Every structure is written in C-alpha cells, then in structure tokens.
C-alpha cells in the first residue's frame, strides 16, 4: 500500500489565470465503484476540461484549467472518495495545455484488453436503505434497490467487461426513469449496472414446497408471516439461497437441523441492525467494524449469557456467527417484526449452495416449506464470508461473498498460475502479474455437485482474471480430486505447454502466510492443522518448517502417533485418545481408558486393543488436529463429532481462565520432536483426581503455547532466523493464536499471521500458487541457460 503521492499545493505555484494540464493515473480500487463519475463531477465542479477513462492498469484522467482549480481538484479527488474506492497510488505528469473545452467520460477500448476488475458484491448502502423505507420514494419497499455504491456485482456476471449487457440484468430493459439515472453523471445511479425499479426490474414470487406460486399481493409480507409461524423458508439472496427460520423459535431451528441433517455445526444468525447484534453478543470495536462493513461477512462473536436465541442455533459453542442484512430483501424481511433469523446456506451437507429457482425446489425437497424467489438470475454461487477478530485484528476465516473476486496485491510479478487447493474447504487461486485472485468458497469436495462447482469456478476465474495458466498447482496428495483434476486440465492444454506442480500441504500453508505478508526471506513456519500429505507419505499436521517460497525443511514436528481406524478417527475422538494413552502410559493404558470411560459403549474394546497392538488400519500421524480431538476425549468431551474439528472447537470453548502449562518435552535429533506424552500423563492424572475439565482444557492450551514457542526458539538458536509464520486450520483457535502470538513476540520473534487469507485450507491455494510460480520461473531460467 504505497502512500498517495500528491504534492498538489506545493508545485502548482504558477500565477493565477495561467492554464495547466495534468495527467493523473490512479491505481487501487478505482473501477466498478463509481470512480469515473466522481472524477467527472469534480472536474465539472472545478470548471476543468479534459477526460477520464478506465484502463486495464487503472483509471486515467487528464485535467486542464486554472492552477487554483487544479489544486482543489487534486485535493478533493483523494479527500472525497466514493465509499468503495481506494487510491493506492496517484502518478501525475505535467502536459502541455491543449485548449480543450468541456470534460467527458471516454469509453475504454484501450489496448485490446477488456480487463476491468470485477468488483465483489456489496451490501445495501445507507442512501439506498433510506429510500427503501421512504414511502415517498419510487422504490419504497422495492427489494432490488441498488446504486453505484452497492448491490450485486460478481454474482450476476456472465462475462467481462462488467456492464449491464453481460449480467443477468440484461433481461430487464431500463424504464425511462431508470435510464435517466443510469445516463446522468450527477446521479447516484450513473452506470449502476444492476439499476432497477418496480416498473422495469426483477420481482418476488412466493412458492410452496412443490414450486407452485402462491396467490398473494405481497410475497414478502406473506413470507415473513410464514417465518413467524415457524416454517422453514428458502430465500433467494445474493450468491445463493439461504434456509431461513425464526432464530428465537427452538422448534423451528431444531426442525431445520433435522431436515438438513446438520447435527451440531453452528448456524449463522442475521439480525436487523447493530443494536440487535449487541443484544445477542459482546461486540468490540473491531467486530463492529466487521459487522457494518459493506462486505458484510458473518462475524464470530462471543455470545451473551441468556441471549434470546434458540439453544439449537449453536449448541455448546461460545460464539455466535452473526451478520447484518446485506440485501434490500433482508432489510425488508427483518423489518416485518423479526428480531433474528437463522440464515444458513441452502444445501444438503457437503453440497454447494443452490442458486437457481428450479434447482432449489428440487434439491431442497423435504427441507424447505416455502420458497421466496425472484427472477434475477444468480450466475455465480457465492457463500457468505466468515470473519473474526483475534489478537486485536480482524481476520477472514472464509473468503467469499463481498471479497471474491477482488485480488490481493503481491510483492512480486508472477507468471500465470492456477492453484486448485486441497480437498476440504476448497477455494482456488489464480496469479496474474502482481495479483492473486481467489474464487468464491467451494467447500469440501466430497460430492459430485461440489466437484462440479469447483469446475465452474475454474472456468469463471480464468474468464474474469483473463488468465491462461502456464502452470497448475495442486497438493502433493496423489489421491485428492484436485490433484487428479490438475493433471486432467494440464493434459487438455497445449501439448507440453502446461506443467503441474505439486506442493506439500504444510509448505503451502506457510507460503500462503508469507505471500500475504509480503515476506520473501526464510522463516520458522508453524503449520498446524488436521491433515496434510507429508513428503514421507505419512499424515502430517503438527509441523515446524524452516521455509521460504522456494522450499522447506522439516525442522520439527509433533511426536507421531497412530490413528486407529484411519479416517474414522476424524469423527470419533476416542480413537486418537486411546492411541495417545497407549503411547503415554504403555501397557497399562486400557486401565486408564476404562476409568476415564474413553471407549464408547457398544465398541468391543478387546478388538480395538488387538487392532492397535497389531497396527491394523493405523496410519501414522503428527496431526495437531487429531491431538486436540484425543485430548478432548481424555478431558471428557466430544464422544462423537458431527463435523471435523468439532472436538477441538469444543475444547477451546471449554477452556476457562488462565492455567499453568502441563509438562512436555523436546526429543533431540535432526528434526525436533515435540513430546506430548508427559502432557497426556498429567491430563489423565488431573482427570482421575477430579480436576475441573475447564481448567484442564485451559492448561492444555497453555502447554501448546509454551511448547510451540520453545521449539521455535530452539530452531532460532540453530538457524538464526528471527521470524515466525503461523498458519494452518488450528490457528482458527483464538486461544492458541493469541497465546502463540503473545509468547513468541515476547520472546523476540517477529510473528506473521493471516488476515485477508484464511489460515485453514481455504487459503492454501495462494501458497500453492506462489510456490509453483517460483518453481516454474526457476525451471524456465534453467532451460534458457542450458540452451
Ligand atoms: Zn446504494
Ligand atoms: Zn425502472
Ligand atoms: Fe491444512
């Protein structure tokens, strides 16, 4: 983020009355955000001549006029920006005056490139919200009101460049009144591509469970009434359908869970306004900014005791996921006497969000009682983004609606790369020059529909980034769908033209953190997560890497343990638990396992003992995620889980107050091994002595923080590296992230963490991309040398 380079007032000290001409080149977020009309209005207001136009590399303006007017223009152009615009750099060049008269917005057809950045979808702005509830306004209660500062963008786009003709608004010819607004540079709706009104724009329909329209004058009021009665409604939103119920009605929420086959995973809540959010949760300054930002993510916030929300919304979780309304439709629904709505992506488990009306009716059969739909097509699926404030900074945990496809700036120029991500929380990333484009969140690639969605995204992202990749990056895991897809896509490209680069999972996590933080030197990387394919073919997940973008060494890791039952261990924390007990306690482990009632009823413990003793279906792992699961079971929580990471979340939720760390050790060697066996022994002893599980959970976190810091310092002593990077899904755990940040910083390390890129597998594609780009560059350099 370079500073704005303006020396407006200083170097324009020529006598008044003399004309000058200046070329301004603006870069940053200056396209699709009403920047050109803003420049136009300013130029007219200051009586300047010239033009403004969009270019692939930013916005260019030439302004000519009196010196004082020019100075005022330059001051105002940076000082009075439209809400969504941001200037990163303004380059000025002095030109000879041409005597031109009048100021125009030129059409941009420069350089053959149709590249203008596609903006993300933006929440209803305050001006539109006011009009929405103003009985005198021609768009009073119109659910599709929008302007240059707000409304759908990515989700209605078919192709670039972004203009009405290439969006799903093409189906709605502008009426006279809307056209006037659209063509008037002084109007807030000048070139607002989705501009619409009740006369010419989209409209709502209410459907019953079979997709038959209901006869009603006011589908929205009718829908709100049905929600108040406890029905489940599928509501068409910006990037897809939500399933929506009254969040205060336990019966309704419980029924939604049963029908959606979603046992315990927390459900997001939408409240009417900030006060509504404050009534349910503790909202700090950062949370407030996240909640009210035009990107409107779901924000994870600490719930208030006794908040008026049905228990089933987020059972046994300390946080609620809360968002504020981001479409006019949401505002109108909540204004119908609804305090809080459960708003969860409309899908069955592991499937992508529904976007099409017919698709919704058929895929949500047996789940939704009614459908509130409209006739503006959603062309791009885009789930809600998720954010939280951790360690005093806002952080994105899922980067999707409101962010996609806005690129992230990179410090380096990269060759074109497509990175496909891993297997869970899939999200892909394209590098083009100094920019990294993330796709909308795809999710776990467990179902054919999810895989189709990934393919949709590959096509979409290539189209809107206008990038034809020379390199496709994927995970090192040979059996991931994304790995196979990488090879398929490469084989469809020009012969020998596209190469596939497989990047080790945890290296990719650290590389993502480095790229996001513009770090090119070697760091001590802590990659902590559930599962990743290791270079040695075992399951890694508690890794201390000495890494840069070019490569890594495994400087340390958790002491390995086995996972009895393999994949089953992800959902059944007693499995890692008995493995940890066996390692920590030796032959006597079944006694303690019995006293702590680790093995659930109905499981033949003798059989499990035999399998464990013989090592049948017992893959080896260093996964911190599985260590968390096992410890949760030992501490007495989470016998069975309905989603990955639930036990770890539960353990974090359980932890209360400060607690002293438990014993742990480092086993020496070329690669350090963090020995958690003393910790397990202490936990077992604590349990048997009747120590409070909340304090044991806190002590376990404190142990990890102390041990991670010690291992990092040992690596610093060996290598002299002063910088650490924290990545991997386990760093979504606030207590762990905040603790590590604090302890490592105190020990004198510079610690890099994620903010704009998710720490989990949702951010891994960026790391894959930059590592693969580096390798491609090296390879190309080598071929050039050998010629
Ligand atoms: Zn607006
Ligand atoms: Zn109209
Ligand atoms: Fe991971």
């Amino acid at each position: 983020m370079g500073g704005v380079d303006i020396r407006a007032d200083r170097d324009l000290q020529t006598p008044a009355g003399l004309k000058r001409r200046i070329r301004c080149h603006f870069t940053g977020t200056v396209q699709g955000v009403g920047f050109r009309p803003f420049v136009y209005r300013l130029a007219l207001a200051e009586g300047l001549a010239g033009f403004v136009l969009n270019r692939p590399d930013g916005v260019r303006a030439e302004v000519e006029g009196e010196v004082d007017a020019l100075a005022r223009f330059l001051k105002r152009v940076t000082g009075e920006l439209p809400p969504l615009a941001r200037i990163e750099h303004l380059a000025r060049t002095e030109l000879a005056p041409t005597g031109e008269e009048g100021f125009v917005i030129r059409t941009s057809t420069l350089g053959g490139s149709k590249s203008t950045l596609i903006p993300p979808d933006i929440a209803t702005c305050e001006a539109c919200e006011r009009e929405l509830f103003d009985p005198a306004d021609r768009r009073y209660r119109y659910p599709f009101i929008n302007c240059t500062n707000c409304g759908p963008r990515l989700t209605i786009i078919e192709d670039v460049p972004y203009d009405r003709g290439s969006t799903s608004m093409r189906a709605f010819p502008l009426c006279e009144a809307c056209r006037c607004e659209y063509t008037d540079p002084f109007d807030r709706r000048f070139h607002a591509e989705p501009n619409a009104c009740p006369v010419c724009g989209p409209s709502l329909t209410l459907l019953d469970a079979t997709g038959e329209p209901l006869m009603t004058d006011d589908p929205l009021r009718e829908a709100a009434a049905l929600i108040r009665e406890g029905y489940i409604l599928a509501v068409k939103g910006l990037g897809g359908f939500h399933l929506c119920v009254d969040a205060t009605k336990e019966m309704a929420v419980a029924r939604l869970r049963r029908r959606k086959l979603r046992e315990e995973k927390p459900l997001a809540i939408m409240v009417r306004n900030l006060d509504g959010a404050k009534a349910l949760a503790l909202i700090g300054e950062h949370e407030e900014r996240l909640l009210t930002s035009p990107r409107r993510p779901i924000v994870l916030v600490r719930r208030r005791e006794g908040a008026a929300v049905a228990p089933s919304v987020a059972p046994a979780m300390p946080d609620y996921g809360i968002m504020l309304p981001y479409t006019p439709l949401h505002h109108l629904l909540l204004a119908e006497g609804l305090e809080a709505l459960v708003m969860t992506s409309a899908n069955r488990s592991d499937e992508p969000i529904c976007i099409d009306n017919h698709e919704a009716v058929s895929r949500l059969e047996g789940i939704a009682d009614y459908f509130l739909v409209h006739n503006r097509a959603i062309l791009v699926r885009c789930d809600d983004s998720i954010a939280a404030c951790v360690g005093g900074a806002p952080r994105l945990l899922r980067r999707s609606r409101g962010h996609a496809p806005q690129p992230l700036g990179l410090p380096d120029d990269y060759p074109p790369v497509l990175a496909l991500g891993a297997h869970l929380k899939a999200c892909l990333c394209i590098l083009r020059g100094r920019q990294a484009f993330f796709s909308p969140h795809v999710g776990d690639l467990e179902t054919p529909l999810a895989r189709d969605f990934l393919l949709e995204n590959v096509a979409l992202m290539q189209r809107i980034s206008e990038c034809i990749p020379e390199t496709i990056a994927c995970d090192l895991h040979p059996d991931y769908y994304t790995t196979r897809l990488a090879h398929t896509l490469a084989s469809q490209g020009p012969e020998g033209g596209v190469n596939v680069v497989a990047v080790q999972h945890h290296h990719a996590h650290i590389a993502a953190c480095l790229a996001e933080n513009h770090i090119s030197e070697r760091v001590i990387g802590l990659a902590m997560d559930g599962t990743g394919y290791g270079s040695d073919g075992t399951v890694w997940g508690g890794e201390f890497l000495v890494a840069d973008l070019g490569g890594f060494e495994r400087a340390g890791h958790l002491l390995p343990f086995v996972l009895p039952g393999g994949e089953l261990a992800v959902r059944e924390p007693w499995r890692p638990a008995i493995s940890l007990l066996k390692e920590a306690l030796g032959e006597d482990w079944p006694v303690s396992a019995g006293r702590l009632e680790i093995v659930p009823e109905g499981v033949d413990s003798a059989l499990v003992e035999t399998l464990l003793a013989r090592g049948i279906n017992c893959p080896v792992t260093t996964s911190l995620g599985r260590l968390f699961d096992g410890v949760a079971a030992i501490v007495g929580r989470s016998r069975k889980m309905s989603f990955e990471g639930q036990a770890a979340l539960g353990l974090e939720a359980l932890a209360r107050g400060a607690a002293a760390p438990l014993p742990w050790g480092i086993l020496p060697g070329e690669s350090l091994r963090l020995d958690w066996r003393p910790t397990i022994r202490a936990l077992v002893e604590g349990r048997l002595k009747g120590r409070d599980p909340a304090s044991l959970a806190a002590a376990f976190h404190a142990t990890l923080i102390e041990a991670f810091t010690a291992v990092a310092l040992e690596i610093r002593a060996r290598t002299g590296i002063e910088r650490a990077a924290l990545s991997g899904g386990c760093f979504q755990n606030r207590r762990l992230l905040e603790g590590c940040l604090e302890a490592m910083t105190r020990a004198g390390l510079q610690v890099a963490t994620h903010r704009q890129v998710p720490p989990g597998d949702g951010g891994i594609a960026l790391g894959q991309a930059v590592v693969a780009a580096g390798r491609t560059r090296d390879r190309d350099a080598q071929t050039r040398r050998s010629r």
Side-chain angles (χ1 to χ4, degrees):
M1 249 72 358
V4 172
D5 168 26
I6 293 191
R7 293 141 295 160
D9 297 316
R10 252 189 304 120
D11 55 5
L12 286 174
Q13 304 292 333
T14 16
L18 207 67
K19 288 205 171 179
R20 294 178 62 175
R21 186 179 183 91
I22 294 170
R23 173 189 292 154
C24 301
H25 190 83
F26 303 90
T27 55
T29 312
V30 289
Q31 295 175 336
V33 290
F35 187 73
R36 282 174 309 154
F38 160 69
V39 169
Y40 176 87
R41 285 192 294 268
L42 271 188
L44 287 201
E46 297 295 349
L48 300 173
F51 64 87
V52 60
L53 73 125
N54 264 339
R55 288 167 48 109
D57 54 349
V59 168
R60 173 74 58 90
E62 288 186 16
V63 280
E64 178 169 335
E66 310 263 324
V67 173
D68 287 352
L70 279 174
R72 277 194 304 274
F73 170 85
L74 288 169
K75 200 166 171 179
R76 292 179 66 186
V77 82
T78 50
E80 301 171 16
L81 284 179
L84 303 177
R86 249 190 82 192
I87 298 175
E88 276 178 20
H89 190 76
L90 163 52
R92 286 174 31 204
T93 324
E94 182 88 30
L95 303 173
T98 64
E100 183 180 9
E101 276 176 28
F103 196 91
V104 289
I105 299 177
R106 284 202 190 154
T107 40
S108 4
T109 46
L110 226 99
S113 174
K114 49 181 179 172
S115 168
T116 52
L117 292 185
I118 306 284
D121 300 274
I122 294 296
T124 310
C125 72
E126 275 175 36
C128 285
E129 193 186 334
R130 263 196 310 277
E131 290 171 354
L132 181 64
F133 290 104
D134 174 5
D137 194 274
R138 72 186 189 97
R139 293 190 180 86
Y140 176 56
R141 295 191 69 243
Y142 180 58
F144 304 94
I145 187 170
N146 67 80
C147 72
T148 340
N149 301 327
C150 73
R153 298 287 189 271
L154 172 70
T155 53
I156 56 167
I157 275 167
E158 202 167 60
D159 203 356
V160 285
Y162 171 56
D163 60 39
R164 194 175 176 100
S166 51
T167 71
S168 55
M169 287 305 292
R170 198 175 44 185
F172 304 94
L174 290 162
C175 70
E176 202 39 49
C178 287
R179 175 165 304 283
C180 281
E181 295 166 338
Y182 185 83
T183 49
D184 175 5
F186 287 92
D187 197 279
R188 205 173 85 241
R189 300 194 162 88
F190 175 66
H191 273 278
E193 306 302 346
N195 190 25
C197 77
V199 175
C200 66
S203 55
L204 292 176
T205 313
L206 186 60
L207 309 176
D208 69 12
T210 66
E212 282 301 311
L214 265 77
M215 283 311 185
T216 166
D217 299 338
D218 197 332
L220 189 123
R221 286 219 163 102
E222 189 69 34
L226 289 166
I227 294 171
R228 282 197 305 268
E229 283 169 43
Y231 288 104
I232 300 174
L233 267 80
V235 177
K236 191 171 181 178
L238 213 46
F241 277 76
H242 281 114
L243 286 163
C244 178
V245 295
D246 185 339
T248 63
K249 288 201 165 57
E250 175 59 22
M251 285 274 284
V253 181
R255 192 165 62 237
L256 173 60
R257 279 199 181 278
R258 269 199 312 279
R259 289 194 187 168
K260 208 188 161 191
L261 302 177
R262 178 146 160 165
E263 290 165 54
E264 283 164 312
K265 208 168 183 175
L267 299 167
I269 309 170
M270 184 179 279
V271 292
R272 203 182 304 171
N273 50 30
L274 195 58
D275 285 341
K278 286 178 175 169
L280 302 185
L282 307 170
I283 312 283
E285 182 196 333
H286 284 297
E287 282 95 352
E288 181 167 333
R289 215 171 302 147
L290 282 171
L291 278 167
T292 54
S293 94
R295 303 179 187 281
R296 291 288 152 100
I298 295 170
V299 185
L300 303 184
V301 283
R302 198 51 41 113
R303 68 203 273 175
R304 268 184 205 285
E305 288 303 332
V309 165
S312 288
V313 168
M317 288 295 154
D319 291 342
Y320 284 137
I322 296 186
M323 60 183 148
L324 298 186
Y326 57 85
T327 69
L329 177 57
H330 296 151
H331 283 287
L332 292 170
L333 259 186
L334 282 152
E336 294 296 318
L338 290 158
E339 288 305 320
L341 296 171
V342 162
M343 284 285 220
T344 182
S345 302
N347 54 9
R348 289 177 196 272
S349 310
D350 292 335
E351 287 186 352
I353 190 167
C354 296
I355 52 173
D356 177 78
N357 297 354
H358 296 292
E359 177 198 15
V361 170
S362 72
R363 273 176 57 200
L364 300 175
E365 191 193 337
I367 300 181
D369 299 311
Y370 296 93
F371 294 81
L372 183 58
V373 304
H374 55 71
N375 51 349
R376 183 180 75 199
I378 300 173
L379 299 179
V380 174
R381 283 173 222 276
C382 205
D383 266 294
D384 295 317
S385 293
I386 304 178
C389 172
V390 186
R395 298 174 197 277
L396 269 181
L397 304 179
R398 181 202 282 168
R399 191 183 168 86
S400 201
R401 194 229 345 119
H403 293 274
Q406 200 174 27
L408 224 66
L410 297 174
D412 228 343
D413 229 321
Y414 287 102
V417 176
L418 164 67
L420 297 177
H423 185 70
L424 299 175
K425 303 187 171 60
C427 182
L428 52 89
C429 178
I430 283 186
L431 296 190
R432 191 192 74 187
R434 287 172 174 268
Q435 293 176 316
F437 294 82
F438 277 94
S439 73
H441 162 81
V442 177
D444 300 352
L445 300 174
E446 297 285 348
T447 62
L449 282 175
R451 294 172 180 195
D452 288 349
F453 182 25
L454 183 77
L455 291 175
E456 272 173 34
N457 266 305
V458 170
L460 170 80
M461 294 310 291
Q462 294 194 41
R463 206 159 63 230
I464 63 181
S465 68
E466 295 184 279
C467 172
I468 299 163
E470 294 164 5
T471 302
I472 301 179
C474 62
D475 198 274
L476 195 59
H477 199 304
D479 296 330
Y480 278 170
Y481 171 72
T482 43
T483 308
R484 296 198 301 269
L485 179 63
H487 289 280
T488 311
L489 291 175
S491 70
Q492 290 164 355
E495 186 80 37
V498 181
N499 68 320
V500 174
V501 176
V503 182
Q504 199 280 324
H505 190 93
H506 302 94
H507 183 209
H509 271 309
I510 299 301
C513 188
L514 296 184
E516 180 185 351
N517 289 285
H518 295 193
I519 297 170
S520 54
E521 71 218 56
R522 283 205 306 168
V523 297
I524 303 163
L526 279 71
M528 301 292 159
D529 67 2
T531 301
Y533 190 84
S535 309
D536 59 2
T538 68
V539 181
W540 292 7
E543 310 306 312
F544 298 85
L545 308 180
V546 168
D548 58 19
L549 298 180
F552 74 98
E553 284 156 47
R554 197 185 192 198
H557 53 82
L558 294 186
L559 183 68
F561 53 102
V562 300
L563 291 174
E567 279 294 298
L568 289 174
V570 176
R571 302 275 160 138
E572 298 177 7
W574 64 268
R575 292 174 182 273
I578 58 167
S579 170
L580 299 175
L581 290 177
K582 179 171 178 263
E583 294 296 328
L585 306 173
E587 289 306 294
D588 285 344
W589 73 268
V591 181
S592 301
R595 289 176 68 193
L596 297 176
E597 298 177 340
I598 301 276
V599 182
E601 267 175 61
V603 174
D604 182 350
S605 37
L607 182 68
V608 176
E609 277 174 49
T610 322
L611 293 181
L612 194 50
R614 295 197 189 145
I616 297 167
N617 192 18
C618 285
V620 175
T621 190
T622 55
S623 163
L624 179 64
R626 299 298 85 78
L627 183 71
F628 256 104
D629 292 347
V631 166
I634 291 168
V635 171
R637 294 293 146 138
S638 296
R639 284 288 159 67
K640 187 152 171 66
M641 300 189 288
S642 60
F643 60 95
E644 203 216 354
Q646 186 185 358
L649 262 177
L651 198 65
E652 182 195 356
L654 181 64
R656 285 282 145 74
L662 305 167
W664 53 273
I666 295 180
L667 303 178
E670 204 176 311
S671 192
L672 301 165
R673 282 161 301 158
L674 174 52
D675 187 358
W676 37 262
R677 289 174 302 182
T679 319
I680 299 297
R681 286 193 285 272
L683 286 169
V684 170
E685 198 186 301
R687 264 305 296 289
L688 293 175
K689 282 185 180 154
R691 196 174 151 187
D692 176 19
S695 110
L696 285 177
F700 177 65
H701 281 83
T703 313
L704 292 180
I705 292 159
E706 185 182 69
F708 285 1
T709 307
V711 174
L713 292 180
E714 176 61 32
I715 297 171
R716 173 171 76 176
R718 291 179 174 196
T719 59
I721 299 171
E722 299 279 351
R723 215 193 251 275
L726 309 180
S727 189
C730 290
F731 284 114
Q732 290 186 42
N733 180 319
R734 287 165 190 251
R735 193 176 264 261
L736 186 66
L737 178 58
E738 282 176 1
C740 286
L741 244 177
E742 207 259 334
M744 291 183 187
T745 308
R746 194 158 15 94
L749 289 164
Q750 286 170 275
V751 189
T753 57
H754 288 287
R755 295 203 182 183
Q756 285 297 310
V757 176
D761 287 2
I764 207 165
L766 173 63
Q768 293 176 345
V770 289
V771 170
R775 264 183 235 168
T776 305
R777 223 162 22 194
D778 292 350
R779 188 204 57 178
D780 292 351
Q782 236 161 38
T783 7
R784 268 198 304 276
R785 266 199 302 276
S786 65
R787 265 193 210 129

